[in-house]
Amino acid sequence: MANIVLSRQQFNVVGTRPIRHDGTDKVTGRALYGGDFRLPGMLYGKILRSPHAHARIRAIDTSAAEALPGVRAVVTAKDMPGADDRITDLGEGAVNLKYLSDNILASAKVLYKGHAVAAVAATDPHTAEEALKLIKVEYEVLPPVTRVRDAMQEGAPILLEGLRTTSMGQKGTAPTNIATHLHFEKGDTAKGFEQAEVIVEQEFETATVHQGYIEFHNATALWNTDGQLTVWCSTQGAFTVRDQLSQVLQHPVAKIKVVPLEIGGGFGGKIPLYVDPPAALLSRKTGKPVKIVMNRAEVFEATGPTPGSWMRVKVGATRDGKIVAAEASIAFEAGAYPGSAVGAACMCAFAPYDIEHGTVDGYDVVVNKPKSAAYRAPGATQAAFAVETVLDEIAEQLGLAPLEFRLRNAAKEGTRRIDGPVFNVIGNIECMEAARDSEHWKTPLEGPNRGRGVAQGYWFNVGLQSSCVISVNADGTVNLVEGSTDIGGTRASIAMQAAEVLGLRAEDVKPTVVDTDSIGYTNVTGGSRTTFATGWAAYEAAHDVLRQMKDRVARIWEANPDDITYEQGVFGVAGSPDRQMSFKELAAKLNHTGGPITGRASVDPQGHGGAFATHIVDVEVDPETGKVQILRYTAVQDAGKAIHPSYVEGQMQGGAVQGIGWALNEEYFMTERGAMANSTFLDYRMPTTLDLPMIDTIIVEVANPGHPFGARGVGEVPIVPPPAAIANAISRATGVRLRTLPMTPGAILKAKGVI
Amino acid sequence: MANIVLSRQQFNVVGTRPIRHDGTDKVTGRALYGGDFRLPGMLYGKILRSPHAHARIRAIDTSAAEALPGVRAVVTAKDMPGADDRITDLGEGAVNLKYLSDNILASAKVLYKGHAVAAVAATDPHTAEEALKLIKVEYEVLPPVTRVRDAMQEGAPILLEGLRTTSMGQKGTAPTNIATHLHFEKGDTAKGFEQAEVIVEQEFETATVHQGYIEFHNATALWNTDGQLTVWCSTQGAFTVRDQLSQVLQHPVAKIKVVPLEIGGGFGGKIPLYVDPPAALLSRKTGKPVKIVMNRAEVFEATGPTPGSWMRVKVGATRDGKIVAAEASIAFEAGAYPGSAVGAACMCAFAPYDIEHGTVDGYDVVVNKPKSAAYRAPGATQAAFAVETVLDEIAEQLGLAPLEFRLRNAAKEGTRRIDGPVFNVIGNIECMEAARDSEHWKTPLEGPNRGRGVAQGYWFNVGLQSSCVISVNADGTVNLVEGSTDIGGTRASIAMQAAEVLGLRAEDVKPTVVDTDSIGYTNVTGGSRTTFATGWAAYEAAHDVLRQMKDRVARIWEANPDDITYEQGVFGVAGSPDRQMSFKELAAKLNHTGGPITGRASVDPQGHGGAFATHIVDVEVDPETGKVQILRYTAVQDAGKAIHPSYVEGQMQGGAVQGIGWALNEEYFMTERGAMANSTFLDYRMPTTLDLPMIDTIIVEVANPGHPFGARGVGEVPIVPPPAAIANAISRATGVRLRTLPMTPGAILKAKGVI
């Protein structure tokens, strides 16, 4: 790896705001999304889904469906290759293959309403839908349990007969819905609380909410007669799709090509597979390409939302505002199969604070809801809602300004988190200070029923593998090939890092996201890793180009390669100021002086630094209706170095808005029978521009020493503070503290005792 | 570049016959050709072509066509950006941009029947065709000249008013159709002929023949509003299309992406652009994708066939069979614009022989026929037809067996060609000897009206630029990305070279041909360069992978990278025989030990060795009809090292069959008005399997010291000997020598004086 350059340095491209390379394609509708994708002779697939939240499948009779004219094939779990209980790592942690397979097509049981049971391919979508009605499934309906509290009770309906709790490396013996119990400890928590002069302990609940990406899940698969499977789909990571397909279909990765089409939002929810394996199996049966596209209800009912949670948080402090002990118990709804984000919640819960004694317990609990998935800083938002409102309450009791109290306890370089790791250089304090010094914070909020809240957020970010290849064109531009799905403008932020190294303009670097056959392994766009890690791969590949360019200059000039300099886009020789050749001039000569030049890099960087954010929000609560109006909102965040500040701001604004949705509006209304009652965007209310003020942004840059340009991931942490900040603001506006999300008008009126 | 390994070495993969990677796709009809390619909202383009072989364009009125419902745009030469007379190099030699542009859409004059004059885009192909009839072109018809002999005469109609002969670096002053006069000399030719005891001098003519690829030229273009142009097409070289488009459209290469679809044959004819620029201009005008596909008549009348020729060859030898002097004058029909293969003809004419004194003159002459293009060993077949029949005549006069005479004069390592270059290690003699020692040659040919002929052929081959990127998959397979259109099985022959280096099976290397945005610069598939040069890039990229794999093993084992060994697919440490890790085992560990591994290489190898071939043919000539039946045919050829012997044999057989077509059947029948009278496959007769015996092959392997595995290009030389070998066989069967191609039944009867 090349040397680290800290972001105090002046850059030519990094930190500027060029137009994104895919901008025109996106605004003119040329960009190819899965919904538009089509192959000659293509069949249309539809999925039959369970009407029950919990039932045993006694029998499936597909014969009538198969006999319907136009139907070409039907598949069920029987067509899924022998999935076993092996644990496999798909890049985002260990996964049980049987669960993975059963979530795609249910075998013995259905575990949520909407659970896929069979898939049909037909010559048109309407015939496929007709055929679904002809599939006869015999169910033995079982009582459902859809709330984490209830699922943890003795005597709760058991979802997975074989499930035993794994706790501290030990497996339990009794049937349970608690898949995992995590436990982290630092210092001596009981002793810590003994030192406390103020203790606040509260319980919290948060609702199941969905990422709500605009684009439905979709996949088109073609299984060729030589076993070569190609899948075109909307995904956050083509290689992850390849890996998962390889596992659930028991088919070698070398025989699978995944082509990532453009993606209309993911937020973590476009990492798991849903329709890809059935499409592949249907294609294998029919010999035709098969396309499956979900609709909105399917997305809500059968893809992964964020876990609902039940949390208890206890914090103790001294009178002078020093936190001495903290404790959290966090139970998450994994959904139908184990694997919620509770681990991340435990890691993030108290991360912004330097606490000597602390304990965090986490519980991963299965319930009769769709298997939860990652959703932007998975788990951190729930935990921050609990922790940051408890801290606010303590500050209030101590008579300390909320930012002042947080600053006194802020984690910094060298602080050890309760779950173990020690922070490197972080911008936690700098974000709090920037918030405290902001125009927003310094401007008093006046008027009745109004309140200002603040909250801190943390997300650890990840690194993982990325690959990049750069080729030099004869006109002095370069082509950059990468494998990271571009969700938030990463074509630009990656290209810019190559441009910086090569002394080119961002526009001179042409980025292309290619399929899994055409680039080295690259992990998902997730974990706020893409600009950080794929950008780093671009940085290294650009250096690989530059090294070869210097060798070429040396060859042309018959000089020593070590003497070749490159500054401001011009090659020179040390000691010969008259010898000059621009990048463009050299590019034009390559094909006659030894051939073209290609640079490559594959990286697995470890130095992803954590990201912190401080959000300030002013609200006004209508005393009669309980409706919360966001008056002003400022998001402060440490980006390390903002590669493309506009897209950093976009992430900050987008994250804040989603967090506002969690805070005020969004939730799965579950019926008693375990069905989602609001699976449309009319009933599931996400914030719109009409509900929101402009989200102001303040980018803090505390250079990440673990990245060549000092960059940190920025995509996730902005969703973490909003629910807590808004709850704190509501408390100041109304005098009541809300501890359940969402904080709807009804909930506020109830808390105020109005209704 | 890594060390050269000579082909005496034993290889594991090189030299075996694995199934081609694209085999299933091709035989099941899945492979995507341009004819099948389609985009949403696509328009269909058609080309208006000149009915005259030579005319001035007075005016073009497109208004009626534009007014036709369904027509979206019309373009003419006026829409072509200001092409000037700049000379540009498009990888296959210098090109005049004005000529290039005018050949795509005629501006001041049309120079052949079928010359494109305008293009229409409409909502369906029929409307586009209707619209063509509504375009009014006012022509001033001029007399055409379609034969090279006539075009060189004083007073011949002049095609290009500004054309002056370039001869030995000097430009002439008078208007002419002779674009270039080349002159090569070695020794003192006059003195050489003074030493000769036998001299034969003859004149020859060969017909215009077409490559006859099955697939029509096609292109689909999408010009986006941000200036980004994407072209999907059938081409031998995506980067050459990009370069040419950039030139004729005056549009930066960085704004052009060319996606090479599968190609249904090229043979040199799919290098120039025809329909791509009009499709691009129509797309720019309409904002829609536009697809243009030629039909067979358009392919014949408006794309580049091989030049017809007029040649004079004189050779002198001593009584003991030593050639002492040689002379050739070769005039080629360039077609409408300068630039035939006459230079290559001059280089190849006498190349198989060590001749002390020699002179070769070449003439590039414009005539009112479509601009000629490359056709498999361009120019060499015509020259060999003349030279090899003259040599045969001398051998006959000297009473020497034809192979014996050739062997006495054969060029070898160190021999200087008349045009200058000195041979490195070549397999010329080895081919002649293998032919002489073959079962075919040793078996006497019996029966009346039968004769056996032999001829030698040479093609110099080229190197040029190629790029390759290889990524390692976790299952121990690798993905290989390259930019060479696969015409004859090069996915396999390139992948095999990577597999050899990496100790993998050919099947474990998955090759993909990608677009110009996704790989480094790669020249056309042509010049018999692809297995040689792109294979070399694969070899180097594989070594780049291997170096990194060794470093990784060293890191895992905490050993010195220099001590890591790799043999038979297993890594080890020198001195520690118990430490072993297979490629596959290491591949599975990469993502957790430093990340994935990608190798890259771009090469411009110079050591392409020349290729030689000796063909033996037995014929029977029907004395009544003059029909020639090929009884037996053996092609001997030096492949250096046959990477995939089946595909080498396929090239040898295919080349021989095309040469048989030139020899016996194929020609453009031109009417007096300069129109091609036989522009269908019913009238233009190519050989079919019913006309041919099995073509036997003998691969000779004289390792090319200029390639890691000793490979030489094999695609072109097999077309060189057939016409001469067949003419020599006919001479023995009938007693008459034919000196005009094709040698049709009528021509034979005429030569025999029967009719």
Side-chain angles (χ1 to χ4, degrees):
Chain A
M1 305 266 170
N3 283 340
I4 301 301
V5 187
L6 287 192
S7 72
R8 301 276 155 186
Q9 205 182 313
Q10 281 305 308
F11 299 117
N12 294 314
V13 180
V14 163
T16 64
R17 300 170 186 252
I19 291 173
R20 60 199 292 166
H21 299 77
D22 50 329
T24 306
D25 263 11
K26 296 241 167 104
V27 299
T28 59
R30 286 266 186 251
L32 187 64
Y33 292 84
D36 310 321
F37 186 76
R38 186 162 315 212
L39 289 173
M42 195 172 80
L43 301 176
Y44 296 83
K46 293 280 174 189
I47 310 272
L48 179 70
R49 298 183 179 282
S50 167
H52 309 295
H54 195 190
R56 213 175 299 282
I57 299 175
R58 290 257 178 250
I60 306 178
D61 179 358
T62 61
S63 56
E66 279 160 338
L68 184 69
V71 170
R72 291 286 178 268
V74 181
V75 294
T76 66
K78 281 186 188 151
D79 297 282
M80 296 286 278
D84 54 32
D85 278 304
R86 269 187 304 131
I87 299 302
T88 182
D89 187 337
L90 295 169
E92 293 261 305
V95 171
N96 178 306
L97 196 50
K98 174 73 176 154
Y99 295 159
L100 196 64
S101 182
D102 277 356
N103 194 39
I104 290 163
L105 281 172
S107 57
K109 284 177 93 177
V110 289
L111 295 174
Y112 50 97
K113 176 176 182 284
H115 199 158
V117 172
V120 172
T123 47
D124 63 276
H126 311 295
T127 304
E129 254 167 35
E130 278 307 306
L132 295 185
K133 297 177 198 157
L134 301 176
I135 298 174
K136 294 177 200 97
V137 186
E138 202 180 309
Y139 292 106
E140 175 193 345
V141 179
L142 303 169
V145 56
T146 61
R147 287 179 76 209
V148 58
R149 265 177 198 267
D150 303 335
M152 292 172 85
Q153 303 292 330
E154 274 304 319
I158 293 294
L159 275 74
L160 302 162
E161 278 79 1
L163 188 68
R164 302 291 179 270
T165 305
T166 303
S167 176
M168 324 277 289
Q170 300 289 319
K171 246 194 167 152
T173 52
T176 178
N177 290 319
I178 304 172
T180 315
H181 167 214
L182 301 167
H183 180 74
F184 301 101
E185 220 173 318
K186 178 187 170 189
D188 182 334
T189 310
K191 203 178 106 191
F193 276 112
E194 282 167 21
Q195 299 163 11
E197 293 162 302
V198 183
I199 293 177
V200 172
E201 181 174 8
Q202 302 290 0
E203 248 185 60
F204 300 85
E205 278 183 292
T206 67
T208 301
V209 294
H210 199 276
Q211 299 85 345
Y213 27 79
I214 293 175
E215 184 207 25
F216 304 142
H217 290 261
N218 61 77
T220 304
L222 173 55
W223 196 308
N224 219 341
T225 47
D226 58 354
Q228 189 58 51
L229 168 64
T230 306
V231 176
W232 295 260
C233 60
S234 173
T235 176
Q236 291 179 233
F239 284 91
T240 306
V241 174
R242 190 181 72 166
D243 287 346
Q244 292 181 72
L245 281 171
S246 171
Q247 297 280 350
V248 299
L249 301 177
Q250 295 289 299
H251 198 60
V253 292
K255 288 274 187 191
I256 304 173
K257 174 164 95 172
V258 178
V259 187
L261 301 173
E262 291 296 338
I263 179 168
F267 311 106
K270 293 246 178 86
I271 298 173
L273 292 204
Y274 302 103
V275 293
D276 315 57
L281 293 172
L282 289 167
S283 177
R284 187 168 60 175
K285 273 201 171 179
T286 59
K288 301 275 182 188
V290 176
K291 175 176 174 173
I292 304 182
V293 184
M294 285 190 175
N295 60 30
R296 181 59 60 190
E298 290 180 289
V299 171
F300 271 122
E301 296 187 347
T303 75
T306 199
S309 72
W310 173 37
M311 301 174 288
R312 190 183 50 74
V313 168
K314 178 178 171 189
V315 176
T318 58
R319 287 253 162 255
D320 58 352
K322 179 75 199 150
I323 302 173
V324 287
E327 205 178 86
S329 169
I330 304 173
F332 268 18
E333 292 170 359
Y337 299 98
S340 72
V342 72
C346 294
M347 290 158 70
C348 296
F350 295 110
Y353 305 103
D354 186 359
I355 303 174
E356 204 177 335
H357 306 287
T359 307
V360 181
D361 286 281
Y363 301 90
D364 186 46
V365 184
V366 293
V367 298
N368 292 113
K369 280 181 176 172
K371 165 78 178 72
S372 69
Y375 179 0
R376 210 169 192 156
T381 305
Q382 291 95 321
F385 171 60
V387 169
E388 289 289 318
T389 58
V390 166
L391 293 188
D392 207 62
E393 216 169 324
I394 295 183
E396 215 166 40
Q397 292 192 17
L398 293 173
L400 283 171
L403 275 172
E404 182 51 32
F405 174 61
R406 284 171 174 83
L407 272 164
R408 283 191 196 178
N409 294 286
K412 54 183 183 296
E413 186 178 353
T415 299
R416 191 160 73 78
R417 283 191 338 221
I418 290 174
D419 60 310
V422 176
F423 285 119
N424 199 333
V425 178
I426 50 173
N428 189 30
I429 291 174
E430 288 79 355
C431 285
M432 294 181 188
E433 288 175 343
R436 184 195 59 196
D437 300 341
S438 69
E439 198 51 41
H440 185 168
W441 193 253
K442 289 191 291 189
T443 306
L445 175 64
E446 285 161 8
N449 304 313
R450 291 181 167 190
R452 172 169 297 166
V454 68
Q456 192 69 2
Y458 167 71
W459 179 249
F460 48 82
N461 293 335
V462 302
L464 301 181
Q465 292 86 15
S466 284
S467 301
C468 183
V469 171
I470 298 177
S471 308
V472 181
N473 293 321
D475 63 356
T477 62
V478 303
N479 292 333
L480 184 156
V481 178
E482 42 123 342
S484 288
T485 299
D486 181 355
I487 308 186
T490 51
R491 281 186 183 89
S493 66
I494 292 164
M496 289 168 74
Q497 295 179 64
E500 186 69 47
V501 173
L502 295 172
L504 301 175
R505 300 174 311 151
E507 298 78 12
D508 293 333
V509 179
K510 190 178 184 187
T512 304
V513 180
V514 296
D515 62 60
T516 54
D517 276 3
S518 308
I519 184 70
Y521 195 90
T522 298
N523 275 90
V524 293
T525 292
S528 300
R529 62 174 293 279
T530 306
T531 295
F532 171 77
T534 310
W536 194 327
Y539 169 89
E540 294 288 343
H543 272 293
D544 191 29
V545 166
L546 208 52
R547 270 190 297 276
Q548 298 175 70
M549 295 286 270
K550 284 182 174 177
D551 285 352
R552 192 62 60 85
V553 171
R555 190 195 296 189
I556 293 170
W557 283 342
E558 297 177 350
N560 185 333
D562 295 338
D563 293 340
I564 304 300
T565 60
Y566 186 62
E567 268 166 44
Q568 306 290 329
V570 179
F571 294 94
V573 192
S576 303
D578 50 321
R579 284 209 145 164
Q580 294 208 331
M581 197 188 311
S582 71
F583 189 94
K584 197 168 176 162
E585 286 166 338
L586 176 58
K589 287 191 194 356
L590 292 180
N591 280 1
H592 303 288
T593 58
I597 283 177
T598 300
R600 55 90 182 99
S602 288
V603 302
D604 184 12
Q606 303 300 319
H608 49 86
F612 290 86
T614 313
H615 287 202
I616 312 166
V617 60
D618 296 347
V619 303
E620 180 172 328
V621 182
D622 187 311
E624 288 186 22
T625 64
K627 178 180 185 298
V628 176
Q629 186 70 36
I630 309 279
L631 301 172
R632 188 172 179 179
Y633 201 104
T634 301
V636 183
Q637 184 176 326
D638 173 23
K641 173 71 198 176
I643 303 292
H644 191 307
S646 300
Y647 301 154
V648 173
E649 289 156 5
Q651 291 292 334
M652 292 165 71
Q653 293 168 323
V657 168
Q658 288 192 315
I660 291 168
W662 288 40
L664 300 177
N665 305 102
E666 297 180 42
E667 66 182 307
Y668 275 43
F669 285 103
M670 302 305 289
T671 67
E672 273 186 19
R673 296 187 52 206
M676 183 185 185
N678 59 333
S679 63
T680 75
F681 271 152
L682 288 175
D683 300 318
Y684 183 95
R685 182 77 163 81
M686 296 185 83
T688 69
T689 49
L690 298 177
D691 303 312
L692 299 163
M694 179 66 188
I695 309 291
D696 293 319
T697 56
I698 297 172
I699 298 175
V700 171
E701 292 189 333
V702 176
N704 173 14
H707 185 268
F709 299 118
R712 298 175 192 276
V714 298
E716 286 169 292
V717 74
I719 199 177
V720 181
I726 292 167
N728 293 338
I730 291 171
S731 160
R732 290 204 176 49
T734 64
V736 296
R737 290 216 166 258
L738 280 89
R739 302 197 177 87
T740 299
L741 292 187
M743 300 175 285
T744 58
I748 289 172
L749 294 183
K750 241 185 228 163
K752 286 182 71 178
V754 176
I755 56 171
Chain B
M1 304 265 171
N3 283 340
I4 300 301
V5 187
L6 286 194
S7 72
R8 301 278 155 186
Q9 205 183 314
Q10 281 305 309
F11 299 117
N12 293 315
V13 180
V14 163
T16 64
R17 301 170 186 252
I19 291 173
R20 59 199 293 166
H21 301 75
D22 50 330
T24 307
D25 264 10
K26 295 242 167 104
V27 299
T28 58
R30 286 267 186 248
L32 186 64
Y33 291 83
D36 310 321
F37 186 75
R38 188 161 314 212
L39 289 174
M42 195 174 78
L43 301 176
Y44 296 83
K46 291 280 174 187
I47 309 272
L48 179 70
R49 299 185 177 280
S50 167
H52 308 295
H54 194 190
R56 213 174 298 280
I57 299 174
R58 289 257 178 249
I60 306 179
D61 180 359
T62 60
S63 55
E66 278 158 339
L68 185 70
V71 170
R72 291 289 178 266
V74 181
V75 295
T76 65
K78 280 185 188 152
D79 297 283
M80 295 285 279
D84 55 30
D85 278 303
R86 269 187 304 129
I87 300 301
T88 183
D89 187 337
L90 295 169
E92 292 262 306
V95 171
N96 178 306
L97 196 50
K98 175 70 175 156
Y99 295 158
L100 197 63
S101 182
D102 278 356
N103 193 40
I104 289 163
L105 281 173
S107 57
K109 285 176 93 178
V110 287
L111 294 175
Y112 51 97
K113 177 175 182 286
H115 198 157
V117 172
V120 171
T123 46
D124 62 277
H126 311 296
T127 304
E129 252 167 35
E130 278 306 305
L132 294 184
K133 297 177 195 156
L134 300 175
I135 298 174
K136 294 179 200 94
V137 186
E138 201 180 309
Y139 292 106
E140 176 193 343
V141 180
L142 301 170
V145 56
T146 60
R147 288 179 74 209
V148 57
R149 266 175 197 266
D150 303 335
M152 292 172 84
Q153 302 294 329
E154 272 305 317
I158 293 294
L159 275 73
L160 302 161
E161 279 80 1
L163 189 68
R164 302 292 179 271
T165 305
T166 302
S167 175
M168 326 276 287
Q170 301 289 318
K171 243 194 169 151
T173 53
T176 178
N177 290 321
I178 304 171
T180 315
H181 167 214
L182 301 167
H183 180 75
F184 301 101
E185 221 173 316
K186 177 187 171 189
D188 183 333
T189 310
K191 203 178 107 190
F193 276 111
E194 283 168 22
Q195 299 165 10
E197 292 163 302
V198 183
I199 293 178
V200 171
E201 181 174 6
Q202 302 291 359
E203 249 184 59
F204 300 86
E205 279 184 289
T206 67
T208 301
V209 293
H210 200 276
Q211 298 85 348
Y213 27 78
I214 293 175
E215 184 206 26
F216 304 142
H217 291 261
N218 62 77
T220 304
L222 173 56
W223 196 308
N224 219 341
T225 46
D226 58 354
Q228 190 59 51
L229 169 63
T230 306
V231 176
W232 296 260
C233 60
S234 172
T235 176
Q236 291 180 235
F239 284 89
T240 306
V241 173
R242 189 181 74 165
D243 287 346
Q244 292 181 72
L245 281 171
S246 172
Q247 296 281 349
V248 300
L249 301 176
Q250 295 289 300
H251 199 60
V253 292
K255 288 274 186 190
I256 304 173
K257 174 164 95 173
V258 178
V259 187
L261 302 173
E262 292 296 338
I263 180 170
F267 311 106
K270 294 246 177 87
I271 299 173
L273 293 203
Y274 301 102
V275 294
D276 315 57
L281 293 171
L282 288 167
S283 177
R284 187 168 60 178
K285 275 200 169 179
T286 59
K288 300 276 181 188
V290 176
K291 175 175 175 174
I292 304 183
V293 184
M294 285 190 176
N295 60 31
R296 181 59 60 190
E298 288 179 290
V299 170
F300 270 122
E301 295 187 348
T303 74
T306 199
S309 72
W310 173 36
M311 300 174 287
R312 191 181 50 75
V313 167
K314 181 179 170 187
V315 175
T318 57
R319 287 254 162 252
D320 59 350
K322 179 74 199 151
I323 301 173
V324 287
E327 205 178 85
S329 170
I330 304 172
F332 268 20
E333 292 170 359
Y337 298 98
S340 71
V342 72
C346 294
M347 290 159 71
C348 296
F350 295 110
Y353 306 102
D354 185 357
I355 303 175
E356 202 177 338
H357 307 287
T359 307
V360 181
D361 286 281
Y363 300 91
D364 186 46
V365 184
V366 293
V367 296
N368 292 113
K369 281 181 175 171
K371 166 76 178 72
S372 69
Y375 179 0
R376 207 169 195 157
T381 304
Q382 292 94 323
F385 171 60
V387 169
E388 290 289 319
T389 57
V390 166
L391 293 187
D392 207 62
E393 216 170 323
I394 294 182
E396 214 168 39
Q397 292 191 17
L398 292 173
L400 283 172
L403 276 171
E404 181 51 33
F405 175 60
R406 283 172 173 82
L407 272 164
R408 284 191 194 178
N409 293 285
K412 55 183 182 297
E413 186 179 354
T415 299
R416 191 160 73 77
R417 282 192 339 222
I418 289 174
D419 59 310
V422 175
F423 285 119
N424 199 333
V425 177
I426 50 173
N428 190 31
I429 290 173
E430 288 79 356
C431 285
M432 292 181 189
E433 288 174 344
R436 183 196 58 197
D437 301 340
S438 69
E439 196 52 41
H440 185 168
W441 190 254
K442 289 192 288 190
T443 307
L445 175 64
E446 285 163 7
N449 303 312
R450 291 180 167 193
R452 172 170 296 166
V454 68
Q456 192 69 1
Y458 167 72
W459 180 249
F460 48 84
N461 292 335
V462 302
L464 301 179
Q465 291 86 16
S466 283
S467 300
C468 183
V469 172
I470 297 177
S471 307
V472 182
N473 293 321
D475 63 356
T477 62
V478 303
N479 291 334
L480 184 156
V481 178
E482 41 121 343
S484 288
T485 298
D486 182 355
I487 308 186
T490 52
R491 281 185 183 88
S493 65
I494 292 163
M496 289 168 74
Q497 294 179 64
E500 186 69 48
V501 173
L502 295 172
L504 301 175
R505 300 175 310 153
E507 297 77 13
D508 293 334
V509 179
K510 191 177 181 188
T512 305
V513 180
V514 296
D515 61 61
T516 55
D517 276 4
S518 308
I519 185 70
Y521 196 91
T522 299
N523 275 90
V524 292
T525 292
S528 299
R529 62 173 293 279
T530 305
T531 295
F532 170 77
T534 309
W536 195 328
Y539 169 89
E540 294 288 343
H543 272 293
D544 191 28
V545 166
L546 209 51
R547 271 189 297 275
Q548 297 175 70
M549 296 285 271
K550 284 182 175 178
D551 286 352
R552 190 64 59 85
V553 171
R555 190 195 295 188
I556 293 170
W557 284 340
E558 297 178 351
N560 185 334
D562 296 338
D563 293 340
I564 303 300
T565 59
Y566 187 62
E567 267 165 50
Q568 305 290 331
V570 178
F571 294 94
V573 192
S576 303
D578 50 320
R579 284 209 143 165
Q580 294 207 332
M581 196 188 309
S582 71
F583 189 95
K584 197 167 177 163
E585 285 166 339
L586 177 58
K589 288 190 191 5
L590 292 181
N591 280 2
H592 303 288
T593 56
I597 283 178
T598 300
R600 57 91 182 100
S602 288
V603 301
D604 184 11
Q606 303 299 318
H608 48 84
F612 289 86
T614 313
H615 286 202
I616 312 166
V617 59
D618 297 345
V619 302
E620 180 172 329
V621 182
D622 186 310
E624 285 184 25
T625 64
K627 179 177 185 301
V628 175
Q629 188 69 36
I630 309 279
L631 302 172
R632 186 171 181 182
Y633 200 105
T634 301
V636 182
Q637 184 176 327
D638 174 24
K641 174 70 198 176
I643 303 293
H644 191 306
S646 300
Y647 302 154
V648 173
E649 290 157 3
Q651 291 292 334
M652 291 165 72
Q653 293 167 324
V657 169
Q658 288 192 315
I660 292 168
W662 289 39
L664 299 177
N665 305 100
E666 297 181 42
E667 66 183 305
Y668 275 45
F669 284 103
M670 302 305 288
T671 66
E672 274 187 17
R673 296 186 53 202
M676 184 186 185
N678 59 332
S679 62
T680 75
F681 271 153
L682 288 176
D683 301 317
Y684 182 95
R685 182 79 163 79
M686 296 184 84
T688 69
T689 48
L690 298 178
D691 303 313
L692 298 164
M694 181 66 187
I695 309 291
D696 293 319
T697 56
I698 298 172
I699 299 176
V700 171
E701 292 189 334
V702 175
N704 173 12
H707 185 269
F709 299 118
R712 300 174 189 277
V714 299
E716 287 169 292
V717 73
I719 200 177
V720 180
I726 292 167
N728 293 338
I730 291 172
S731 160
R732 289 203 176 49
T734 62
V736 295
R737 290 216 165 258
L738 278 89
R739 303 197 175 88
T740 298
L741 294 185
M743 299 175 285
T744 58
I748 288 172
L749 294 183
K750 240 185 227 162
K752 287 183 70 177
V754 176
I755 56 170

